[in-house]
Amino acid sequence: MTITEFETRGFYEPGFLHLRINTDKSLKNLNELIVDDRPLFSTFLHEYIHFLQEISTTTGLTNAAFYINTIKDVNQTVINDGKADFEVPFKFNNEYNTLTQIELKRIYIGESTEVAYAKYDGFIEEEKEVIDRDNNILKVKRYKVFYYDTIRNCKNFYFGITCIKEFIAHTIQTKFCPEIEHPDIPYVIVELILDKECPSLAKNIDTYLAICDACLMSYHPAQLFFNTVTRIKKDCFEPKSAQEMYDYVLNLKFNGNDKIYTPSELFKEAKEIVINHFENALQAEIFSANLKWIKHILEEAFLIRETNPTYINQILDEN
């Protein structure tokens, strides 16, 4: 969403399963809403896509786990420090690898400062060192994208999850509300990159959507995105459907926690971890209904992804 949309219309809070729309109008009948108040419908649709990304992708579930863990780490630190009070804002330490996780999250998310016009020029891969609590050095890939602005100045930014998620939401939103306009960065830069780097895809938006949705089934979507771009160029790959594109992106295995995962196994583990975190965090009886709802939507989202992995593309294809 743009800053204007955030301030006046609504937003989605990643990690908290919280979608807020600033209106007193009923949202029960979307068929009526799209006629009576298109800007409101448009905002709801965009933020609802972000909600679906949260519950039906490995990246989204990992994000939810990050926030729950961070809150737990703050609680544990406050409990153990022996003081009667604590300062706000809270000053994190790395006893529980919190600072490490924050830095990794910053790399994965990338930069998202809005740029109205960008002419894509190219990208490079860099390596960033992140230190954990035991002073182990983690070497993480990050991707710098170069572009020209309206006065032909060459600029750059770090590409990440935000660009991928916003492209998906923007694409579906503008399918139903084509009058909506968004800045090129972070909303359209994915399209600009794929147009230039992967001519074999023939500027097919359905294919682009499948690439981005598949990349969110990993811990580091930007790395998977640019690795996929490199593979497509090398193979001159021409997918015949969104499903074929999705399968092509995820024709790999992930290493982690001394195990090798298929994308499906990684997603399942992420879902189970998040449910476990919520069960631990919401033990009081007052939260029982909330916990039941959370577990239900996560299990349903898992089932939908497993049985219909390109369901996001089907939303785009709706008339």
Side-chain angles (χ1 to χ4, degrees):
M1 89 201 106
T2 64
I3 298 300
T4 299
E5 288 173 319
F6 176 86
E7 293 177 344
T8 65
R9 298 177 187 170
F11 59 91
Y12 179 74
E13 287 185 285
F16 293 93
L17 306 179
H18 181 207
L19 192 163
R20 179 185 294 275
I21 303 297
N22 298 329
T23 183
D24 293 327
K25 293 183 178 181
S26 172
L27 301 175
K28 290 183 178 180
N29 191 325
L30 297 181
N31 290 323
E32 291 182 0
L33 191 65
I34 194 173
V35 174
D36 297 339
D37 194 329
R38 288 180 66 82
L40 183 61
F41 169 83
S42 175
T43 298
F44 171 80
L45 177 61
H46 186 107
E47 305 311 329
Y48 183 68
I49 295 301
H50 287 323
F51 168 71
L52 294 178
Q53 291 168 340
E54 189 88 351
I55 64 175
S56 68
T57 71
T58 302
T59 292
L61 293 175
T62 303
N63 194 50
F66 166 83
Y67 284 108
I68 298 171
N69 274 331
T70 301
I71 293 170
K72 289 166 63 177
D73 292 347
V74 169
N75 289 342
Q76 200 63 40
T77 300
V78 171
I79 290 170
N80 292 338
D81 68 8
K83 299 178 181 179
D85 52 19
F86 60 92
E87 295 181 4
V88 177
F90 185 81
K91 295 180 180 179
F92 291 100
N93 60 50
N94 212 27
E95 181 179 358
Y96 303 106
N97 265 331
T98 306
L99 294 177
T100 301
Q101 292 301 321
I102 290 173
E103 180 60 21
L104 288 172
K105 186 173 185 291
R106 185 178 293 115
I107 294 171
Y108 295 155
I109 287 178
E111 296 175 327
S112 57
T113 301
E114 292 181 2
V115 177
Y117 172 83
K119 180 177 175 59
Y120 170 72
D121 188 52
F123 74 92
I124 61 172
E125 179 184 275
E126 297 181 347
E127 197 168 72
K128 172 76 172 178
E129 291 187 351
V130 179
I131 301 176
D132 71 7
R133 66 180 180 182
D134 300 316
N135 290 319
N136 297 312
I137 297 177
L138 310 175
K139 296 184 178 181
V140 186
K141 303 291 186 183
R142 62 178 181 174
Y143 298 85
K144 182 180 288 186
V145 167
F146 296 88
Y147 66 92
Y148 289 99
D149 64 12
T150 53
I151 56 175
R152 295 293 295 171
N153 286 325
C154 188
K155 297 184 177 181
N156 63 76
F157 77 103
Y158 286 106
F159 180 98
I161 292 169
T162 299
C163 292
I164 293 173
K165 290 173 65 175
E166 292 295 357
F167 170 74
I168 294 173
H170 159 83
T171 300
I172 295 174
Q173 181 183 15
T174 53
K175 164 64 184 296
F176 292 92
C177 301
E179 69 275 15
I180 297 297
E181 294 183 357
H182 285 130
D184 283 351
I185 299 174
Y187 298 90
V188 190
I189 189 65
V190 161
E191 182 177 349
L192 302 178
I193 292 170
L194 293 174
D195 281 352
K196 181 172 181 178
E197 298 286 356
C198 303
S200 67
L201 300 182
K203 298 185 178 183
N204 187 312
I205 292 297
D206 207 46
T207 299
Y208 292 1
L209 201 69
I211 292 173
C212 289
D213 192 36
C215 286
L216 293 177
M217 300 305 292
S218 69
Y219 287 150
H220 194 347
Q223 183 177 35
L224 182 52
F225 177 84
F226 283 108
N227 284 350
T228 299
V229 166
T230 301
R231 288 172 55 209
I232 291 172
K233 292 170 66 175
K234 179 182 177 181
D235 299 342
C236 295
F237 182 62
E238 299 180 18
K240 297 180 177 61
S241 66
Q243 183 67 59
E244 186 178 5
M245 185 73 258
Y246 184 92
D247 292 340
Y248 178 89
V249 176
L250 293 179
N251 183 24
L252 45 73
K253 293 186 178 180
F254 299 105
N255 294 318
N257 300 323
D258 299 321
K259 292 174 62 178
I260 297 177
Y261 298 86
T262 65
S264 177
E265 290 168 342
L266 192 70
F267 181 47
K268 181 179 180 180
E269 179 169 280
K271 182 258 299 182
E272 292 172 349
I273 288 173
V274 171
I275 288 177
N276 180 257
H277 283 335
F278 275 116
E279 287 176 336
N280 290 335
L282 304 176
Q283 295 184 26
E285 180 62 27
I286 193 173
F287 297 124
S288 60
N290 303 80
L291 180 60
K292 181 178 180 180
W293 175 77
I294 290 170
K295 291 170 68 174
H296 173 73
I297 63 169
L298 293 181
E299 292 291 358
E300 287 298 305
F302 177 80
L303 181 62
I304 291 171
R305 176 65 71 177
E306 288 293 288
T307 58
N308 188 15
T310 57
Y311 81 92
I312 285 289
N313 284 81
Q314 293 171 19
I315 297 175
L316 182 67
D317 293 337
E318 289 290 333
N319 294 320

